[in-house]
Amino acid sequence: MIDSIKYKIQICCGTMCYIMGGAELHLLNDHLPSNLKDKVSIEGIPCIGKCDTKEKHHPCVKINGEELNNATSQKIVKQLLTLENNDLL
Amino acid sequence: MTYYNNAVITKHELLVRLIQLLDTNKLLDDIDRIPLEMRPRTNSPIRCCVHKDRAVIKYKLMALLGFNIADEQHELTPLKEYAEQALEGYTQNGNFLTVVDEACSSCVQVNYTVSNLCQGCEGRPCQVNCPKDAIMVLNGKANIDHQKCVNCGICQKACPFHAIAYLPVPCEESCPVKAIRKNADGIEEIDFDKCIHCGKCMTACPFGAISEKSQILNLFNNIKHKKEKTVAMVAPAILSQFKASSAQILNSIKAVGFDEVMEVAEGANMTTDHETNELLERLNSGATFMTTSCCPSYIEFSEKHAPELKPFISDTPSPMAYTAMLAKKRFPEHKAVFIGPCLAKRTEVYQNQNIDYVITTEELGAVFAALKFDLVKTDDSPIVSKVVRPESRGYAASGGVTNAIKTILSSEHNITTELIDGIDKKSIRLLRSLPNKKVTDASFYEVMACDGGCINGPVNVSPLKVSQNKLKKAIQEIQSEEAAV
């Protein structure tokens, strides 16, 4: 079988990210457009250390290793679509 | 259900900051800086100006410390003084919700408003059909006179342009028992003769103006300075709220500083056994039906609004009450702390002498976050006694009690069951009708104030769908342990 996963999404499951909105991101799959669903893998990862209340980067996710701060499902989808469009060019 | 929103995040941030300050011994020095740090001048204000935003934060903090705005003797009293008192523990009076006046935006008095879609038509059906003569057309646009309007909604239905909109007051609409109303100043007020502490108003308010009175500072201070020994009694719903295995969550709770950790599911074993026997006895002696007793909000509902239901409610103590009895037996010296997803448990605990503190999922999460605990890296070896049945953890989701009882009942008992999933206006009508019926649809009613059960409690941190999956895993963990033995 050919591995069709193009985008690896890692959601920080440290408690700070989790209670500051990260919990919601685990529903990401419901927000993905149908053309992306098969290309995305979603997993939880241990704390990646973005817990500072002063900097307020949480919740944090990694898309193919690249960090996205203050993530929301909408923001992640937007980023994925941008990556996907760039690929088509 | 309530959508995820920023007001919830603000509450979490407040809790985290409070605990961080307490943990680094800077609470009294720095608590008055929290409003400034959270609402810096450089940000665009959420309300009218940065000063209002800061005042809101201040009063929200006060509420979390256990104070009402009515407790404020002098407006210049710094938060530090309230914090000093909170560390000693506030005097409880059985009411655990408070409206933060400053944050309450005093939502519309009149629910109908004319939008700019109004064409000022010739027909003017809104005006001619209004029974109170409350609509005037000024400058070609309809206007509703707030003194006259009685919220009947006829104008909205009559308008062919859909120009009249219905504006809800979220807290009032969410309250199943009409316990929250505006006072003369337009600020919401909770009537504690009616309130059943379901917490629905708290999650519904988009301004985060309704707050619970927390005990976390007092408790955390005592744990940190080892002033007293504590036993944590962890509700099964907690195991569904964090992304880690049940054992890791329980171990982390212990690592926070609790001396002992127990699962409330252990008490649920006892509730199941007792309640099953009680059900059979009652039905044998001619009762038409029996309802569960484990949801404290439902119990408060029956006391305040439907005393006729009382004889039909099981007398079986809740899992928490049983667990507290076990805790007192095993650790008589320890203070008992219930950790759960529930606001109404605060009132149950208030009447239960075996339990000393309640903390919520949000507060536990804030402690984990403030202390930078990485749950998934915590020790994964089980620490709690193996007597917990899988069905007992299942209590946390709607249908769980029924399921637990059914596993005990033998097939010859023909017990019909029904689930009342969430106390709302509709289910209240159903509940009220039950005592008068000669024959009821079911003989066992499981009543849960929150739709979805405890895993959808008002002070949780995970969305329902995520919690459901996580709870299933927590149940499987016991099953696979059993299989391994």
Side-chain angles (χ1 to χ4, degrees):
Chain A
M1 207 180 94
I2 305 162
D3 188 11
S4 62
I5 300 297
K6 241 171 109 181
Y7 305 109
K8 187 169 151 198
I9 304 199
Q10 297 169 303
I11 305 170
C12 174
C13 289
T15 320
M16 183 68 95
C17 281
Y18 197 73
I19 65 170
M20 292 304 200
E24 227 38 53
L25 302 175
H26 293 275
L27 298 174
L28 176 67
N29 202 32
D30 299 349
H31 297 277
L32 288 176
S34 51
N35 61 329
L36 283 177
K37 272 206 169 137
D38 299 335
K39 299 181 182 169
V40 172
S41 74
I42 304 171
E43 61 171 359
I45 51 168
C47 177
I48 53 174
K50 293 273 176 173
C51 316
D52 195 333
T53 33
K54 290 207 177 71
E55 288 175 9
K56 283 197 197 179
H57 288 321
H58 37 69
C60 201
V61 297
K62 283 182 178 177
I63 302 175
N64 289 344
E66 204 172 307
E67 285 175 11
L68 179 69
N69 295 334
N70 304 115
T72 60
S73 295
Q74 302 316 322
K75 243 171 127 173
I76 298 173
V77 171
K78 205 173 153 195
Q79 180 67 15
L80 288 175
L81 288 173
T82 317
L83 291 172
E84 187 75 357
N85 285 339
N86 286 349
D87 254 16
L88 293 176
L89 290 177
Chain B
M1 74 157 264
T2 317
Y3 283 85
Y4 155 68
N5 66 61
N6 288 329
V8 178
I9 302 299
T10 303
K11 184 181 176 194
H12 294 176
E13 190 179 343
L14 287 172
L15 283 168
V16 171
R17 282 178 181 266
L18 279 177
I19 294 162
Q20 273 176 343
L21 288 181
L22 186 55
D23 186 49
T24 48
N25 295 320
K26 286 191 285 199
L27 180 71
L28 297 179
D29 297 332
D30 282 356
I31 186 169
D32 282 287
R33 302 194 63 80
I34 293 180
L36 313 181
E37 280 178 13
M38 278 181 66
R39 298 290 179 253
R41 223 175 258 283
T42 44
N43 284 18
S44 56
I46 299 164
R47 292 159 212 253
C48 57
C49 61
V50 67
H51 310 292
K52 172 86 175 176
D53 282 354
R54 288 174 179 177
V56 167
I57 294 287
K58 178 187 168 186
Y59 288 111
K60 281 188 180 179
L61 279 169
M62 231 175 110
L64 285 177
L65 297 174
F67 295 92
N68 250 324
I69 289 211
D71 296 328
E72 189 180 49
Q73 304 284 333
H74 194 292
E75 272 191 70
L76 283 177
T77 310
L79 285 167
K80 182 185 169 192
E81 285 184 26
Y82 297 111
E84 277 169 349
Q85 291 179 46
L87 289 178
E88 300 300 316
Y90 68 91
T91 335
Q92 301 186 357
N93 60 1
N95 305 334
F96 295 95
L97 279 170
T98 173
V99 179
V100 183
D101 303 25
E102 196 73 24
C104 177
S105 88
S106 319
C107 294
V108 286
Q109 301 273 8
V110 163
N111 288 124
Y112 292 91
T113 185
V114 184
S115 72
N116 55 8
L117 295 176
C118 175
Q119 309 289 312
C121 63
E122 185 183 341
R124 296 186 183 171
C126 55
Q127 191 178 33
V128 292
N129 288 296
C130 176
K132 294 288 170 188
D133 195 20
I135 294 190
M136 287 219 301
V137 182
L138 292 173
N139 304 324
K141 188 174 171 286
N143 278 275
I144 298 175
D145 183 341
H146 287 192
Q147 304 300 321
K148 292 182 180 164
C149 175
V150 291
N151 281 330
C152 69
I154 290 176
C155 56
Q156 189 201 24
K157 291 189 197 99
C159 176
F161 294 106
H162 303 296
I164 297 176
Y166 176 75
L167 259 174
V169 180
C171 59
E172 291 182 10
E173 298 218 341
S174 69
C175 179
V177 291
K178 296 188 178 152
I180 186 161
R181 280 283 167 269
K182 286 184 208 309
N183 63 16
D185 301 326
I187 303 280
E188 296 293 337
E189 234 173 38
I190 298 171
D191 180 351
F192 286 103
D193 292 333
K194 291 183 178 167
C195 175
I196 60 171
H197 288 96
C198 63
K200 289 186 170 52
C201 56
M202 193 168 73
T203 47
C205 176
F207 285 92
I210 299 163
S211 178
E212 62 191 312
K213 297 180 180 175
S214 169
Q215 293 179 298
I216 185 70
L217 278 193
N218 179 218
L219 172 69
F220 188 71
N221 193 41
N222 291 349
I223 288 179
K224 188 173 144 56
H225 297 290
K226 303 229 175 292
K227 285 190 184 167
E228 54 198 17
K229 286 187 166 180
T230 46
V231 47
M233 305 187 296
V234 185
I238 295 289
L239 307 178
S240 75
Q241 292 298 308
F242 299 100
K243 278 275 167 187
S245 73
S246 309
Q248 285 170 330
I249 294 173
L250 293 167
N251 277 318
S252 303
I253 291 174
K254 186 148 193 191
V256 165
F258 289 96
D259 298 291
E260 305 291 341
V261 177
M262 292 174 73
E263 269 193 70
V264 172
E266 208 181 327
N269 288 351
M270 296 158 82
T271 303
T272 309
D273 293 343
H274 193 278
E275 199 154 300
T276 313
N277 290 333
E278 192 188 2
L279 174 66
L280 293 176
E281 270 171 36
R282 281 186 181 222
L283 294 179
N284 275 338
S285 56
T288 44
F289 73 99
M290 185 181 92
T291 79
T292 51
S293 61
C294 49
C295 174
S297 190
Y298 167 55
I299 298 299
E300 218 177 334
F301 164 76
S302 71
E303 279 163 4
K304 290 180 177 171
H305 300 277
E308 68 273 17
L309 267 171
K310 271 254 116 178
F312 298 95
I313 299 176
S314 156
D315 293 321
T316 306
S318 69
M320 178 181 78
Y322 270 126
T323 312
M325 285 180 217
L326 291 175
K328 269 279 160 311
K329 231 182 267 167
R330 284 182 210 162
F331 317 108
E333 306 278 287
H334 291 50
K335 296 269 181 192
V337 184
F338 175 76
I339 306 179
C342 182
L343 182 70
K345 279 285 183 216
R346 291 193 194 271
T347 50
E348 190 186 336
V349 165
Y350 181 61
Q351 291 156 358
N352 186 327
Q353 291 171 339
N354 284 341
I355 311 169
D356 305 278
Y357 298 95
V358 179
I359 67 170
T360 62
T361 319
E362 285 176 333
E363 290 160 1
L364 179 68
V367 170
F368 286 155
L371 302 183
K372 305 210 164 147
F373 270 38
D374 202 355
L375 298 192
V376 283
K377 287 186 188 152
T378 319
D379 181 15
D380 200 9
S381 51
I383 58 163
V384 178
S385 77
K386 291 205 171 107
V387 294
V388 173
R389 299 177 199 149
E391 307 87 64
S392 294
R393 281 191 179 168
Y395 262 60
S398 282
V401 187
T402 312
N403 178 43
I405 282 184
K406 278 189 170 164
T407 51
I408 295 200
L409 284 172
S410 51
S411 52
E412 68 212 59
H413 299 294
N414 196 13
I415 306 276
T416 45
T417 60
E418 201 173 313
L419 172 64
I420 295 183
D421 196 9
I423 291 187
D424 51 30
K425 281 162 193 151
K426 198 176 147 207
S427 60
I428 285 177
R429 272 200 299 279
L430 171 69
L431 279 168
R432 283 217 173 106
S433 72
L434 289 178
N436 301 324
K437 284 188 183 163
K438 288 214 173 67
V439 184
T440 49
D441 294 341
S443 44
F444 181 73
Y445 285 86
E446 176 179 335
V447 189
M448 291 280 162
C450 300
D451 55 343
C454 310
I455 50 171
N456 200 22
V459 284
N460 271 345
V461 297
S462 277
L464 178 60
K465 218 170 140 187
V466 176
S467 314
Q468 279 167 337
N469 287 334
K470 190 67 216 335
L471 186 71
K472 263 183 217 147
K473 275 189 202 149
I475 293 169
Q476 283 161 4
E477 278 167 39
I478 310 188
Q479 285 163 337
S480 56
E481 264 172 44
E482 277 175 354
V485 172

